[in-house]
Amino acid sequence: MGEQHQRLLDNTSYEAVEFGGEIIKVSKSTDKGIDSSSINVNWKWWFEIAFHTVVTLSGLEATVLLSRIYYDQGGNSKWLMASIQTAGFPFLIPFIFFSKTHPNSSSSSSSSSSDPPPYSFLLLALVSTLLGLLVAATDVFYSLALEYLPASTYTLLNSSQLAFTALFSFLLNAQSFTPYIINSVIILTFSPMLLIFSPDTTSSSEVASNKDEYMLGVLYTIAASACPALIFSLTQLVFEKIIKRETIKDTMILTVLLSFVATVVTLVGLFASGEWKGLRREMEDYKQGVLAYNLVLFFSAVASQAYIVSSYTLTFKVSSLFSNVVIRLATPLTPLLSMLFLNEEMSGLKVMSLLLSVWGFASYIYQQYIDDLEATSKCTVKISDL
């Protein structure tokens, strides 16, 4: 709760002071530096959270649906789709040079003197290499899962990522747990497992053609859920222990570094497996044509980078667990979009799993609401006591 309390204080128009062994905030607008009035919310910060939430969801939905379209229309290169998930990092490079280094460029000289020292780029590169290898593994599992499962089933099973994130957040980020969070994690972990007992009947003849392939898709999806959970928790550690700044520029630098490593690894796999030899034929035989083939790959790369940057931004602005909760918002949306655009069916077990996932998500959001009320109350009491 201490970290969440501090982050809430960071979103107000108050100045940091030490009181009772804790860092609190008092108003900057009074002569005495103390204002017992209610906390003024920093709406700019909330707008940024809302914006990155929308971009995260949009990028994730577009990536899942475009990947499904790629396979449905004749694509079959798992390594190509794995590399596409991170190959869009060059689009971020121009934005790095136009992004400011410090979160508040208008801050006073006294505040700039307290800025953390520059981090070691070599250390960041080494950490990014580890993260990049994990991202490459995630991309491979992701591509394999979507080859065997429809997009809606993949997303529902992928809800288990939140449970893995809770575990890693507890071990690596000292995440505290309450009954509501525990309830959310349990429901979001086990509700998607209902789908294991009933293989999908879809309009796509290429997906889950037999029970063995369906089970393989389930296993690949679980692996594709555990890896990102570890990545988000490690990313939060990187921001707290190495970067020690919370800017979009630092987020993009980290994204470019780990995406570069992941792209190199997956491209090596593409050439080592020999799949590259069939790419020209795959493009020529694509059902929607060569132009559509390239557009699917292009927009997949762009959407994936948007998703990565915004989800990492939510990680350092709030927490890795919150970032994954936002990702779970895609759970009830993807089956609807899949039904509308990909002609996938909504079975009874899928609807039941979907409703349980919404229940689990609502439980976590309610806990966030309670935590915010408690943090605000504590801050107001401390200011009035001064």
Side-chain angles (χ1 to χ4, degrees), residues 90-132:
F91 295 115
L92 299 178
I93 296 177
F95 294 99
I96 292 178
F97 294 100
F98 294 102
S99 301
K100 57 185 179 181
T101 303
H102 303 290
N104 299 313
S105 57
S106 60
S107 58
S108 62
S109 59
S110 60
S111 62
S112 62
S113 62
S114 61
D115 288 337
Y119 52 80
S120 169
F121 186 81
L122 177 60
L123 178 59
L124 182 63
L126 292 175
V127 173
S128 299
T129 300
L130 172 61
L131 293 176

Coordinates of all heavy atoms in Angstrom, one line a residue, residues 90-132:
P90 N 11.7 0.5 -35.3 CA 12.2 1.6 -35.9 C 11.3 2.8 -36.0 O 11.7 4.0 -36.0 CB 12.6 1.1 -37.3 CG 12.8 -0.3 -37.2 CD 11.8 -0.7 -36.1
F91 N 10.0 2.6 -35.9 CA 9.0 3.7 -35.9 C 9.1 4.5 -34.7 O 8.7 5.7 -34.7 CB 7.6 3.1 -36.0 CG 7.3 2.4 -37.3 CD1 7.0 1.1 -37.3 CD2 7.3 3.1 -38.5 CE1 6.7 0.4 -38.5 CE2 7.0 2.5 -39.7 CZ 6.7 1.1 -39.7
L92 N 9.7 4.0 -33.6 CA 9.8 4.7 -32.3 C 11.0 5.6 -32.3 O 11.0 6.6 -31.5 CB 9.8 3.7 -31.2 CG 8.6 2.8 -31.0 CD1 8.9 1.9 -29.8 CD2 7.4 3.6 -30.8
I93 N 12.0 5.3 -33.1 CA 13.3 6.0 -33.0 C 13.1 7.5 -33.2 O 13.7 8.3 -32.4 CB 14.3 5.4 -34.0 CG1 14.6 4.0 -33.5 CG2 15.6 6.3 -34.0 CD1 15.6 3.3 -34.5
P94 N 12.4 8.0 -34.2 CA 12.2 9.5 -34.4 C 11.6 10.1 -33.1 O 11.9 11.3 -32.8 CB 11.4 9.6 -35.6 CG 11.6 8.4 -36.4 CD 11.8 7.3 -35.3
F95 N 10.6 9.4 -32.5 CA 9.9 10.0 -31.4 C 10.9 10.1 -30.1 O 10.6 11.0 -29.3 CB 8.7 9.1 -31.0 CG 7.7 9.1 -32.0 CD1 7.6 8.1 -32.9 CD2 6.7 10.1 -32.1 CE1 6.6 8.0 -33.9 CE2 5.7 10.1 -33.1 CZ 5.7 9.1 -34.0
I96 N 11.9 9.3 -30.1 CA 12.8 9.4 -29.0 C 13.5 10.7 -28.9 O 13.7 11.4 -27.9 CB 13.8 8.2 -29.0 CG1 13.1 6.9 -28.7 CG2 15.0 8.5 -28.0 CD1 14.1 5.7 -28.8
F97 N 13.9 11.2 -30.1 CA 14.7 12.5 -30.2 C 13.8 13.7 -29.9 O 14.3 14.8 -29.6 CB 15.3 12.6 -31.6 CG 16.4 11.6 -31.9 CD1 16.1 10.4 -32.6 CD2 17.6 11.7 -31.3 CE1 17.0 9.5 -32.9 CE2 18.6 10.8 -31.6 CZ 18.3 9.6 -32.3
F98 N 12.5 13.5 -30.1 CA 11.6 14.7 -29.8 C 10.9 14.6 -28.5 O 10.1 15.5 -28.1 CB 10.5 14.7 -30.9 CG 11.1 15.1 -32.3 CD1 11.3 14.1 -33.2 CD2 11.4 16.4 -32.6 CE1 11.8 14.4 -34.5 CE2 11.9 16.7 -33.9 CZ 12.1 15.7 -34.8
S99 N 11.2 13.6 -27.7 CA 10.6 13.4 -26.4 C 11.5 14.0 -25.3 O 12.7 14.0 -25.4 CB 10.4 11.9 -26.1 OG 9.5 11.3 -27.0
K100 N 10.9 14.6 -24.3 CA 11.6 15.3 -23.3 C 12.1 14.2 -22.3 O 11.5 13.2 -22.1 CB 10.8 16.3 -22.5 CG 9.5 15.8 -21.9 CD 8.7 17.0 -21.4 CE 7.4 16.5 -20.8 NZ 6.6 17.6 -20.2
T101 N 13.3 14.5 -21.7 CA 13.9 13.6 -20.8 C 13.3 13.6 -19.4 O 13.1 12.5 -18.8 CB 15.4 13.9 -20.6 OG1 16.0 13.9 -21.9 CG2 16.1 12.9 -19.7
H102 N 12.8 14.7 -18.9 CA 12.3 14.8 -17.6 C 10.8 14.9 -17.7 O 10.2 15.5 -18.6 CB 12.8 16.1 -16.9 CG 14.3 16.1 -16.8 ND1 15.0 15.2 -16.0 CD2 15.2 16.8 -17.4 CE1 16.3 15.4 -16.1 NE2 16.5 16.4 -17.0
P103 N 10.1 14.3 -16.7 CA 8.6 14.3 -16.7 C 8.0 15.7 -16.7 O 7.0 16.0 -17.2 CB 8.2 13.6 -15.5 CG 9.5 13.1 -14.8 CD 10.6 13.6 -15.5
N104 N 8.7 16.7 -16.0 CA 8.2 18.0 -15.9 C 9.3 19.0 -16.3 O 10.1 19.4 -15.5 CB 7.7 18.3 -14.4 CG 6.6 17.4 -13.9 OD1 5.6 17.2 -14.6 ND2 6.8 16.9 -12.7
S105 N 9.2 19.4 -17.5 CA 10.2 20.3 -18.1 C 10.2 21.7 -17.5 O 11.1 22.4 -17.5 CB 10.1 20.4 -19.6 OG 8.8 20.9 -19.9
S106 N 9.0 22.0 -16.9 CA 8.9 23.4 -16.3 C 9.2 23.4 -14.8 O 8.9 24.4 -14.2 CB 7.4 23.8 -16.5 OG 6.5 23.0 -15.9
S107 N 9.7 22.4 -14.3 CA 10.0 22.3 -12.9 C 11.1 23.3 -12.5 O 11.9 23.7 -13.3 CB 10.4 20.9 -12.5 OG 11.5 20.4 -13.2
S108 N 11.2 23.6 -11.3 CA 12.2 24.6 -10.8 C 13.6 24.0 -10.7 O 13.7 22.8 -10.8 CB 11.8 25.1 -9.4 OG 11.8 24.1 -8.5
S109 N 14.6 24.9 -10.6 CA 15.9 24.4 -10.5 C 16.2 23.5 -9.3 O 17.0 22.6 -9.3 CB 16.9 25.5 -10.5 OG 16.6 26.4 -9.4
S110 N 15.4 23.8 -8.2 CA 15.6 23.0 -7.0 C 15.1 21.6 -7.2 O 15.7 20.6 -6.7 CB 14.8 23.6 -5.8 OG 13.4 23.7 -6.2
S111 N 14.0 21.4 -8.0 CA 13.5 20.1 -8.2 C 14.4 19.3 -9.2 O 14.6 18.1 -9.1 CB 12.1 20.1 -8.8 OG 12.1 20.8 -10.1
S112 N 15.1 20.1 -10.1 CA 16.0 19.4 -11.1 C 17.2 18.9 -10.4 O 17.8 18.0 -10.8 CB 16.3 20.4 -12.2 OG 17.0 21.5 -11.7
S113 N 17.6 19.6 -9.3 CA 18.8 19.1 -8.6 C 18.5 17.8 -7.9 O 19.5 17.1 -7.5 CB 19.1 20.1 -7.5 OG 18.1 20.3 -6.6
S114 N 17.2 17.4 -7.7 CA 17.0 16.1 -7.0 C 16.7 15.0 -8.1 O 16.3 13.9 -7.7 CB 15.7 16.3 -6.2 OG 14.6 16.7 -6.9
D115 N 16.9 15.3 -9.3 CA 16.7 14.3 -10.4 C 17.7 13.2 -10.2 O 18.8 13.4 -9.7 CB 16.9 14.9 -11.8 CG 15.7 15.8 -12.2 OD1 14.6 15.6 -11.6 OD2 15.9 16.6 -13.0
P116 N 17.3 11.9 -10.4 CA 18.3 10.8 -10.3 C 19.4 10.9 -11.3 O 19.3 11.5 -12.3 CB 17.4 9.6 -10.6 CG 16.3 10.1 -11.4 CD 16.0 11.5 -10.9
P117 N 20.6 10.4 -10.9 CA 21.7 10.5 -11.8 C 21.5 9.6 -13.1 O 20.6 8.7 -13.0 CB 22.9 9.9 -11.0 CG 22.2 9.0 -10.0 CD 20.9 9.7 -9.7
P118 N 22.1 10.0 -14.2 CA 22.0 9.2 -15.4 C 22.3 7.7 -15.2 O 23.2 7.3 -14.5 CB 23.0 9.8 -16.4 CG 23.2 11.2 -15.8 CD 23.1 11.0 -14.3
Y119 N 21.4 6.9 -15.7 CA 21.6 5.4 -15.5 C 22.7 4.9 -16.5 O 23.0 5.6 -17.5 CB 20.3 4.7 -15.7 CG 19.6 5.0 -17.0 CD1 20.0 4.4 -18.2 CD2 18.5 5.9 -17.1 CE1 19.3 4.7 -19.4 CE2 17.8 6.2 -18.2 CZ 18.3 5.6 -19.4 OH 17.6 5.9 -20.6
S120 N 23.2 3.7 -16.2 CA 24.2 3.1 -17.0 C 23.5 2.5 -18.2 O 22.7 1.6 -18.1 CB 25.0 2.0 -16.2 OG 25.8 1.3 -17.1
F121 N 23.9 3.0 -19.4 CA 23.3 2.5 -20.6 C 23.7 1.1 -20.9 O 22.9 0.3 -21.4 CB 23.7 3.4 -21.8 CG 23.1 3.0 -23.1 CD1 21.8 3.4 -23.4 CD2 23.7 2.2 -24.0 CE1 21.1 3.1 -24.6 CE2 23.1 1.8 -25.2 CZ 21.8 2.2 -25.5
L122 N 24.9 0.7 -20.5 CA 25.4 -0.7 -20.6 C 24.6 -1.6 -19.8 O 24.2 -2.7 -20.2 CB 26.9 -0.8 -20.2 CG 27.5 -2.2 -20.3 CD1 27.4 -2.8 -21.7 CD2 28.9 -2.2 -19.8
L123 N 24.3 -1.2 -18.5 CA 23.4 -2.0 -17.7 C 22.0 -2.2 -18.2 O 21.4 -3.3 -18.2 CB 23.4 -1.4 -16.2 CG 22.5 -2.1 -15.2 CD1 23.0 -3.6 -15.0 CD2 22.5 -1.4 -13.9
L124 N 21.5 -1.1 -18.7 CA 20.2 -1.1 -19.3 C 20.2 -2.0 -20.6 O 19.2 -2.7 -20.8 CB 19.7 0.3 -19.7 CG 18.3 0.4 -20.3 CD1 17.3 0.0 -19.3 CD2 18.1 1.9 -20.8
A125 N 21.3 -2.0 -21.3 CA 21.3 -2.8 -22.5 C 21.4 -4.3 -22.1 O 20.7 -5.1 -22.8 CB 22.6 -2.5 -23.3
L126 N 22.1 -4.6 -21.1 CA 22.1 -6.0 -20.6 C 20.8 -6.5 -20.1 O 20.3 -7.6 -20.4 CB 23.2 -6.2 -19.5 CG 24.6 -6.0 -19.9 CD1 25.5 -6.0 -18.6 CD2 25.1 -7.0 -20.9
V127 N 20.1 -5.6 -19.3 CA 18.7 -6.0 -18.9 C 17.8 -6.1 -20.1 O 16.9 -7.0 -20.1 CB 18.2 -4.9 -17.9 CG1 16.8 -5.2 -17.5 CG2 19.1 -4.9 -16.6
S128 N 17.9 -5.2 -21.0 CA 17.1 -5.2 -22.2 C 17.3 -6.5 -23.0 O 16.3 -7.0 -23.6 CB 17.3 -4.0 -23.1 OG 17.0 -2.8 -22.4
T129 N 18.5 -7.0 -23.0 CA 18.8 -8.3 -23.7 C 18.0 -9.4 -23.1 O 17.4 -10.2 -23.8 CB 20.3 -8.6 -23.7 OG1 21.0 -7.5 -24.3 CG2 20.6 -9.9 -24.4
L130 N 18.0 -9.5 -21.7 CA 17.2 -10.5 -21.1 C 15.7 -10.4 -21.3 O 15.0 -11.3 -21.7 CB 17.5 -10.4 -19.5 CG 16.6 -11.3 -18.7 CD1 16.8 -12.8 -19.0 CD2 16.9 -11.0 -17.2
L131 N 15.2 -9.1 -21.3 CA 13.8 -8.9 -21.6 C 13.5 -9.2 -23.0 O 12.4 -9.7 -23.3 CB 13.5 -7.4 -21.2 CG 13.5 -7.0 -19.8 CD1 13.2 -5.5 -19.6 CD2 12.5 -7.8 -18.9
G132 N 14.4 -8.9 -23.9 CA 14.2 -9.2 -25.3 C 14.1 -10.6 -25.6 O 13.3 -11.1 -26.4

